[in-house]
Amino acid sequence: MARGAPTPTLAALALVLAASSVALHLCASSAASTPTTGRPPVAPGLSYGFYKRSCPQAESMVRRFVHDAVLKDVGVAAGLLRLHFHDCFVQGCDASVLLNVNGSGEKKAQPNLTLRPAAFKAVNDMRDLLDKACGGPVVSCADILTLAARDSVGETGGPRYEVPLGRRDSANHASVADVTAALPAPFFKVPAMLKILSNMNLSLDATDLVALSGAHTIGLGHCTSFEGRLFPQADPAMDAAFAAHLKQVCPAMGAPGTTPLDARTPDRFDNRYYVDMISRQGLFTSDQDLFTHAATRTVVDSFAKSQKAFFRQFALSMVKMGQIKVLTGDRGQVRTNCEAPNPRAVLPWSVVVEDAADSFVI
Ligand code: HEM
C-alpha cells in the first residue's frame, strides 16, 4: 500500500529544536543531542544507554532501516507506530503482539486484524539485521518495537526524542479476550478511554490520551471502524460535508474501503489532526469525542494552536506508554525469533547495563 514519499522534516525539526527548554530530552539526532532540563521518570531496569556497550550501533541501525522503509512506503510508519501501542496496552510492552504460536496469539484478536503485515515484516527484518550487527540476539523485540515506533514518528515529520531501553520479551501472549478488553474501541467516548488508561499502572491521564490519540495524524482507517457513524444516519457530531465524503468511500455497511485518519495531511506527523477535531472532521468517535468532551477539549484546542506543545507532550506520553508493565533484568527473555518464545535451553544474551543516574521509579 505504497503512498507518496514523506514530506521534508526540516520545519518540524526546527520546531522540536525550539522546544529544547522543556523537561523532556528531545534531540535532533542521537549524535548531536544536548541534554535539557530533565527527563521523564524511567522504570527500574530501563535506561537511556542500555545498549551503549552491548550493541552501540543498535539505535542508528533501526533509524536507518525505518528511514529507508518509510521512503518506500510511508504506511509502514503508521503500521509500526500502531504496533507499539497494541503491544504496550496488552500485557505491557513485551512484544507479545508479535507472538505467533501454532497460529494462535494476539494477532487473532479483532483489533489486531488490521495491523499491517508490512510492519510485522519490518520488525523481523530488523531482528535479522541487528542480530548480525550485535553478534546475536542482544536487542529485545520489545525494544525494536519501541525504537521503530519512535523513528516512524521522526521520519514522518514528528518530534525526535530519546527512549529508555532494556525491555525484555514475554514468552507468553495474552488471550484474544484480554486483547479486546485492553484496547480502546473506535466507538469509545472519553470516559471509557480514561478508564482503560487508568488500568495501566502508570499515571496516564486525559492529557496523555489527547496527545497519544494524535498518532492518528498518520495512517488509515477501514470503513468497518467508523461506518457506525454514517449509517443509518450520519453522526450529528460529524461535519455534514465530511460525512458525505465518507459515504462515497463507504457506500454501505461492510464496505471494504479505507480513508486517512487525518484528512488534512494524511502522511505527515503534525498537529492538523487536532484541527480536524475542531472542524468536526474526526474519523472515529474516539477522536471526535476528545473535542466534544469537556475534560479534553481545552487540550485539543491547545495542540491545534501549538504544534510545539503537541510534539512535546506526545514525546513525553510515548515514553510513558513505552514503559507500561515492562519486563526487565532476569524477567522475560530476548527472543531469537520475534514470533516465537525461545526454546527452553536458549539463555538471553542481553546484559543489564543500567545507568543509575537515569533511573527513577515511576
Ligand atoms: C485512544 C484510543 C485509540 C483508539 C480507539 C484507536 C483506534 C484505532 C483504529 C480503529 C484504527 C484503524 C483500524 C483500521 O480500521 O484499520 C487505528 C489506527 C491507527 N492507530 Fe489508533 N487508536 C487509539 C489510540 C492510538 C494510539 C495511542 C496510537 C499510537 C501511539 C495509535 C496509532 C494508530 C495508527 C498510527 C493508526 C493507523 C495504522 C495504519 O494505517 O496502519 N492509536 N486506531
Side-chain angles (χ1 to χ4, degrees):
M1 201 180 292
R3 287 175 276 151
T7 42
T9 58
L10 284 180
L13 207 54
L15 280 168
V16 169
L17 289 172
S20 62
S21 62
V22 300
L24 182 66
H25 186 171
L26 296 164
C27 59
S29 77
S30 48
S33 62
T34 311
T36 56
T37 53
R39 288 164 160 169
V42 174
L46 298 185
S47 63
Y48 284 98
F50 192 82
Y51 296 110
K52 209 161 36 189
R53 275 171 256 166
S54 54
C55 190
Q57 64 277 48
E59 291 206 36
S60 58
M61 285 188 67
V62 171
R63 182 169 171 180
R64 163 62 53 186
F65 182 96
V66 172
H67 173 82
D68 293 345
V70 169
L71 274 183
K72 286 190 206 125
D73 173 9
V74 69
V76 170
L80 287 167
L81 182 53
R82 189 172 182 226
L83 204 48
H84 180 47
F85 161 53
H86 283 218
D87 180 35
C88 290
F89 267 53
V90 179
Q91 183 176 286
C93 310
D94 60 357
S96 59
V97 68
L98 304 174
L99 284 169
N100 190 18
V101 188
N102 297 329
S104 77
E106 297 174 22
K107 288 176 189 172
K108 300 278 173 195
Q110 198 275 335
N112 286 343
L113 297 178
T114 48
L115 291 172
R116 293 197 193 220
F120 286 110
K121 180 176 181 318
V123 174
N124 290 338
D125 290 348
M126 284 185 268
R127 162 87 286 154
D128 292 346
L129 283 175
L130 287 167
D131 287 359
K132 285 193 190 96
C134 313
V138 173
V139 182
S140 67
C141 301
D143 277 346
I144 295 176
L145 284 173
T146 308
L147 288 169
R150 183 272 302 267
D151 293 336
S152 294
V153 170
E155 290 299 330
T156 46
R160 295 211 177 267
Y161 52 95
E162 289 199 330
V163 286
L165 299 170
R167 293 162 193 77
R168 282 174 176 260
D169 306 322
S170 165
N172 307 305
H173 58 74
S175 69
V176 164
D178 286 345
V179 176
T180 316
L183 290 171
F187 53 83
F188 275 16
K189 294 197 168 179
V190 167
M193 291 191 281
L194 287 177
K195 185 159 187 324
I196 289 219
L197 257 58
S198 70
N199 296 334
M200 295 297 157
N201 285 356
L202 275 180
S203 54
L204 287 167
D205 59 18
T207 303
D208 293 303
L209 174 64
V210 179
L212 289 172
S213 298
H216 290 177
T217 176
I218 55 172
L220 298 173
H222 288 78
C223 292
T224 45
S225 296
F226 57 85
E227 61 192 9
R229 300 190 70 201
L230 303 178
F231 307 106
Q233 285 109 27
D235 182 345
M238 188 185 277
D239 169 57
F242 186 55
H245 160 72
L246 291 179
K247 279 186 178 171
Q248 288 180 338
V249 181
C250 315
M253 292 290 280
T258 59
T259 196
L261 301 181
D262 169 12
R264 286 179 166 69
T265 49
D267 295 338
R268 185 161 180 81
F269 197 103
D270 58 19
N271 68 338
R272 302 304 184 280
Y273 163 85
Y274 299 103
V275 179
D276 297 339
M277 297 317 118
I278 292 174
S279 314
R280 300 193 301 124
Q281 293 167 350
L283 192 60
F284 305 140
T285 299
S286 60
D287 298 316
Q288 192 57 54
D289 202 52
L290 298 173
F291 186 65
T292 310
H293 200 275
T296 44
R297 184 178 195 137
T298 51
V299 188
V300 172
D301 268 332
S302 70
F303 291 166
K305 282 193 193 108
S306 168
Q307 180 160 280
K308 185 167 129 182
F310 165 49
F311 279 9
R312 188 181 69 169
Q313 184 59 49
F314 183 79
L316 181 57
S317 298
M318 283 293 282
V319 171
K320 280 165 96 175
M321 185 183 90
Q323 300 188 69
I324 294 173
K325 298 176 194 156
V326 286
L327 301 172
T328 59
D330 56 6
R331 295 188 307 140
Q333 53 185 224
V334 176
R335 295 206 297 263
T336 57
N337 168 1
C338 288
E339 294 187 358
N342 290 344
R344 277 180 178 269
V346 177
L347 293 171
W349 290 38
S350 183
V351 285
V352 178
V353 183
E354 189 181 340
D355 180 351
D358 283 344
S359 296
F360 302 93
V361 179
I362 293 179

